[in-house]
């Protein structure tokens, strides 16, 4: 039992360490965006396809809910608490390791943008897919979007019904 507890602590530590590294990468890219893109013309990486263009987003995805900072902070805290609960309750088996990784990515993205909202009152965005006129986004947004897609793939194609039932039992504390 003691060995199992050490294994769980090790896996939790790795998850937290990965989150910290991902958050650092997000914050570092935003720092670079502020230093090199703010008040500058967009940097064209691929003509008519991809640009680096500085934007201060005071809303959520696609710029919705502009200026609702307090609401975002409360929602982010609730989401992070839910993710932490799920992370600790998911069985510490190889079968669910990928799912735990998805939670780490979502949390890192949420924290990355949370930091911006707390300290700046806005999120720094800088990737712009001009070819499809996609809203400008950042590295934390990539974490959340890719992990949400990966979560859907896991739930639809990788986990069987009994896996999902076991997962739900774990989340309910049974």
């Amino acid at each position: 039992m003691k060995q199992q507890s050490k294994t769980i602590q090790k896996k939790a530590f790795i998850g937290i360490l990965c989150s910290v590294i991902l958050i650092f990468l997000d914050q570092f890219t935003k720092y670079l965006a502020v230093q090199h893109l703010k008040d500058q013309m967009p940097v064209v990486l691929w003509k008519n396809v991809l640009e680096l263009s500085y934007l201060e987003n005071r809303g959520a995805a696609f710029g919705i809910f502009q200026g609702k900072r307090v609401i975002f902070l409360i929602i982010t805290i609730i989401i992070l608490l839910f993710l932490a609960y799920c992370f600790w309750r998911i069985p510490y088996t190889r079968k669910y390791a990928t799912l735990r990784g998805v939670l780490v990515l979502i949390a890192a993205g949420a924290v990355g943008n949370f930091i911006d909202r707390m300290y700046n009152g806005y999120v720094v965005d800088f990737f712009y897919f001009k070819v499809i006129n996609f809203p400008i986004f950042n590295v934390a947004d990539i974490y959340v979007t890719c992990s949400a897609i990966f979560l859907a793939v896991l739930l639809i194609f990788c986990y069987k019904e009994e896996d999902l039932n076991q997962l739900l039992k774990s989340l309910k504390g049974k």
Side-chain angles (χ1 to χ4, degrees):
M1 194 62 145
K2 193 171 189 175
Q3 182 62 30
Q4 183 182 9
S5 178
K6 285 191 181 258
T7 301
I8 289 171
Q9 288 175 351
K10 181 181 175 185
K11 289 179 180 180
F13 175 77
I14 290 169
I16 292 168
L17 180 63
C18 288
S19 285
V20 169
I21 291 168
L22 291 168
I23 293 164
F24 172 79
L25 290 173
D26 169 66
Q27 291 298 298
F28 183 67
T29 59
K30 290 172 180 173
Y31 168 80
L32 291 175
V34 170
Q35 295 301 309
H36 301 287
L37 299 173
K38 187 174 183 175
D39 300 325
Q40 303 296 318
M41 293 297 296
V43 174
V44 177
L45 298 178
W46 187 357
K47 188 176 180 178
N48 295 321
V49 176
L50 180 63
E51 295 179 352
L52 298 177
S53 182
Y54 183 84
L55 175 74
E56 295 175 358
N57 183 354
R58 297 176 194 287
F62 308 109
I64 61 173
F65 302 118
Q66 291 288 323
K68 306 290 187 205
R69 181 178 175 196
V70 174
I71 292 171
F72 290 125
L73 298 179
I74 292 169
I75 290 171
T76 302
I77 290 169
I78 292 169
I79 289 170
L80 289 172
L81 289 172
F82 175 74
L83 291 172
Y85 175 81
C86 291
F87 187 90
W88 293 112
R89 298 297 305 178
I90 291 173
Y92 282 86
T93 62
R94 181 179 214 127
K95 183 187 304 184
Y96 298 109
T98 307
L99 182 58
R100 191 170 277 103
V102 167
L103 295 179
V104 166
L105 274 172
I106 294 170
V111 170
N113 285 339
F114 181 79
I115 290 169
D116 281 13
R117 284 192 180 98
M118 284 295 293
Y119 291 103
N120 302 327
Y122 56 84
V123 174
V124 173
D125 289 333
F126 53 92
F127 288 118
Y128 175 49
F129 276 111
K130 188 173 186 173
V131 69
I132 57 174
N133 194 25
F134 195 79
I136 301 174
F137 59 97
N138 61 46
V139 173
D141 298 335
I142 294 170
Y143 297 161
V144 172
T145 303
C146 290
S147 60
I149 292 167
F150 199 53
L151 177 62
V153 169
L154 282 174
L155 295 176
I156 295 169
F157 298 110
C158 297
Y159 293 126
K160 298 176 181 133
E161 187 174 341
E162 58 266 14
D163 299 330
L164 296 174
N165 288 335
Q166 180 184 0
L167 187 60
L168 288 174
K169 284 180 185 177
S170 296
L171 293 175
K172 290 179 180 178
K174 296 181 180 178

